[in-house]
Amino acid sequence: MKIAVAGTGYVGLVAGVCFAEKGYHVTCVDIEEKKVEMMRQGISPIYEEGLEELMQKNNALGRLHYTTDYVKAYRDADVIFIGVGTPEMPDGSANLSYIAEVSRQIAETVEKDCLVVVKSTVPVGTNDKVEQFIRDFLVHDVKVEVASNPEFLAQGTAVYDTLHAARIIIGTESKEAEALLQKLYAPFELPIVSVKRRSAEMIKYACNDFLALKISYMNDIANLCELVGADITDVAKGMSYDERIGARFLNAGIGFGGSCFPKDTKALKFLAKEHGYSLKTVEACVEVNSAQKTRLFEKAKERMISFAGLKTAVLGLTFKSGTDDLREAPSIDNLKLLLAAGADVYAYDPKGTERAKQLFPVGKIEKGSMHYVDSVEEALEGAHICFVFTEWQEIKGIAPEKFKEYMHTPLVYDGRNLYAPVQMKDADVEYYSIGR
Ligand code: UDX
């Protein structure tokens, strides 16, 4: 079976590589020649554990190819996966222009019957339109069907999540399409849930928004814990033993970021509104998250007269550990506020620095200034205040005494609840975290 994959971001590239790993002949298509050349050499454009190893292995075995020439890739493919981005529009709706572009290219190039499988997260009903769109633009007399196959991988564990997914969701409108996808996924030996196309599209949003809601709920409870003198870490621990609640996604902090939760909560809110329905739970989740992102800064603002000229250590920039991605990272909102308030920021992140430099270049920004350093120690050296935004292992592992030893004033605002308040107190560090 010949597979083509459109888009080589987290979704497309990881899917392509994993299908090759299962023995299929896969061609990944991207518009950027430079990126394609890199991938041919076994270099991944994204940082994902285990991805480059699998790319190199399958490149060498001749099962995995990369091209900018979509005609060659789609022409005789049996299955074409679409894994291009659906970024957020200013009004919160999903931007479907990349999906439309690929659909048009597919329609104009396929020379044999094929199944188009949409992995990108798209508003419910989009795949009906994708199918119609492709059929409208078909050049050759062939049969094209569209299936939905949402992706549940999390960044940082993308390869593992794909090869060991909790389930595969397939949404189809015909027995043939369902059978083909069942066959395609058989080598993965994972549970397959087969539903109608619109239900599959909805499952993806329902899952992401449920998890986002869970986090916002914990953040809301954490804020209340602060007011009533309870400790959110203990509260979460107590909750986690109830299997109906589950132990994961109970960590309160500075709010969720990344390429999915922020976008998918807004998109579902938008979709509901379009249908004349107000999705109040998700609306509340978005609102709580937006306020949560800058809560730490607000706390610090209450404590300081001014940030002007303060050496401000920032530990962690990415939206979570294990990735170099900064999309919707709470650090961005906080850095903007800190720089506008005149802080001299010294940031450390083991993987996110290069991407951060594109957003906040080194030098003067607004009233403050931006610097990047290569170690926790350099960031802390002589600092007046420290913010923790990401739970990287090397940041988690900092001994409380180190803050005291290196900082000018050992004052720490921790958005990830990484340290024990008692230990920080014993080490003479003034410490603020979330919900305790
Ligand atoms: C998420 C979903 O987990 C994945 O299934 C989907 O396909 C894409 O979106 P991802 O965005 O990569 O994956 O990261 P995830 O680990 O889910 O974290 C999302 C955000 O929530 C991060 O900012 C993280 O720090 C935050 N989070 C997560 C919390 O604040 N508390 C938690 O308990 C868990």
Side-chain angles (χ1 to χ4, degrees):
M1 207 179 313
K2 259 186 102 175
I3 298 176
V5 182
T8 58
Y10 285 95
V11 173
L13 180 59
V14 174
V17 171
C18 290
F19 277 115
E21 177 64 14
K22 292 293 174 190
Y24 292 104
H25 183 280
V26 181
T27 305
C28 299
V29 182
D30 202 282
I31 47 172
E32 259 183 77
E33 187 59 60
K34 224 171 93 193
K35 204 168 153 190
V36 164
E37 194 43 52
M38 259 172 75
M39 293 188 288
R40 280 188 190 132
Q41 288 167 25
I43 303 166
S44 169
I46 49 168
Y47 170 74
E48 265 310 322
E49 208 181 315
L51 187 59
E52 281 193 347
E53 286 86 332
L54 287 191
M55 281 171 79
Q56 284 157 15
K57 176 182 159 193
N58 287 286
N59 288 359
L61 286 168
R63 296 197 291 234
L64 190 52
H65 304 269
Y66 312 89
T67 184
T68 50
D69 185 355
Y70 65 82
V71 180
K72 234 157 109 190
Y74 301 156
R75 196 164 50 199
D76 58 348
D78 298 289
V79 180
I80 304 173
F81 280 94
I82 301 184
V84 294
T86 52
E88 188 184 315
M89 300 278 268
D91 63 0
S93 64
N95 177 352
L96 300 175
S97 59
Y98 301 113
I99 299 261
E101 198 180 319
V102 171
S103 302
R104 179 96 188 241
Q105 290 168 347
I106 291 172
E108 288 171 353
T109 48
V110 285
E111 291 175 12
K112 66 182 227 191
D113 294 356
C114 77
L115 181 66
V116 172
V117 186
V118 178
K119 269 202 168 289
S120 311
T121 304
V122 291
V124 182
T126 303
N127 287 322
D128 296 3
K129 292 185 198 158
V130 171
E131 190 170 83
Q132 190 57 57
F133 194 75
I134 293 178
R135 288 179 182 171
D136 287 346
F137 283 99
L138 272 180
V139 170
H140 299 278
D141 184 20
V142 293
K143 190 168 172 260
V144 178
E145 253 200 86
V146 172
S148 165
N149 172 218
E151 182 52 66
F152 295 94
L153 61 83
Q155 285 174 225
T157 50
V159 173
Y160 182 90
D161 290 351
T162 305
L163 295 175
H164 303 91
R167 74 321 202 176
I168 308 284
I169 304 289
I170 55 175
T172 52
E173 295 297 311
S174 79
K175 285 276 161 234
E176 296 76 34
E178 184 193 355
L180 183 54
L181 277 174
Q182 291 269 12
K183 191 172 153 204
L184 192 69
Y185 273 111
F188 287 75
E189 296 179 40
L190 295 166
I192 296 176
V193 181
S194 176
V195 295
K196 286 285 189 198
R197 206 160 50 194
R198 284 182 181 233
S199 302
E201 292 169 323
M202 183 53 114
I203 288 171
K204 171 66 190 200
Y205 281 107
C207 284
N208 269 1
D209 288 21
F210 185 78
L211 293 172
L213 260 163
K214 203 171 170 186
I215 298 168
S216 275
Y217 176 75
M218 293 310 284
N219 284 333
D220 221 8
I221 294 292
N223 299 342
L224 185 58
C225 280
E226 285 178 18
L227 297 172
V228 300
D231 183 326
I232 191 65
T233 318
D234 292 340
V235 172
K237 188 176 167 196
M239 291 169 70
S240 69
Y241 282 82
D242 189 329
E243 282 179 8
R244 292 170 303 175
I245 295 171
R248 301 183 63 196
F249 283 74
L250 290 182
N251 294 332
I254 36 165
F256 56 76
S259 63
C260 293
F261 290 174
K263 169 172 80 76
D264 295 348
T265 41
K266 285 181 210 146
L268 200 59
K269 199 179 112 173
F270 184 88
L271 184 83
K273 211 169 144 197
E274 255 192 340
H275 287 81
Y277 187 75
S278 132
L279 204 56
K280 293 205 179 71
T281 46
V282 175
E283 281 171 18
C285 162
V286 172
E287 208 179 299
V288 168
N289 197 57
S290 155
Q292 196 70 13
K293 281 183 163 184
T294 53
R295 220 179 132 77
L296 262 194
F297 174 81
E298 297 301 332
K299 268 193 205 182
K301 210 169 81 179
E302 277 172 30
R303 161 83 167 63
M304 319 300 291
I305 299 178
S306 159
F307 288 95
L310 291 194
K311 175 168 178 184
T312 305
V314 163
L315 304 181
L317 295 164
T318 53
F319 81 94
K320 65 172 190 179
S321 61
T323 174
D324 61 354
D325 200 337
L326 261 89
R327 279 177 287 178
E328 302 278 342
S331 66
I332 297 174
D333 304 67
N334 285 285
L335 283 178
K336 279 185 191 159
L337 291 169
L338 284 165
L339 292 164
D344 293 321
V345 175
Y346 286 75
Y348 167 72
D349 189 288
K351 295 274 183 247
T353 302
E354 287 317 309
R355 288 185 193 258
K357 279 181 184 166
Q358 291 161 14
L359 299 170
F360 301 98
V362 177
K364 197 154 174 49
I365 300 180
E366 297 229 21
K367 289 187 194 137
S369 63
M370 194 67 208
H371 314 261
Y372 295 91
V373 294
D374 297 325
S375 68
V376 165
E377 289 77 7
E378 275 178 87
L380 294 180
E381 183 75 57
H384 301 99
I385 185 167
C386 170
F387 286 91
V388 176
F389 294 138
T390 318
E391 72 286 16
W392 287 103
Q393 207 50 48
E394 47 268 75
I395 296 173
K396 231 186 219 174
I398 304 171
E401 296 72 32
K402 211 168 200 172
F403 292 107
K404 171 84 176 161
E405 187 189 334
Y406 281 87
M407 293 179 74
H408 179 272
T409 333
L411 172 59
V412 177
Y413 287 85
D414 173 10
R416 298 290 182 167
N417 290 355
L418 299 187
Y419 316 104
V422 179
Q423 283 175 11
M424 290 297 252
K425 194 162 178 240
D426 289 349
D428 224 3
V429 178
E430 191 178 332
Y431 178 61
Y432 300 90
S433 53
I434 306 276
R436 41 188 209 163

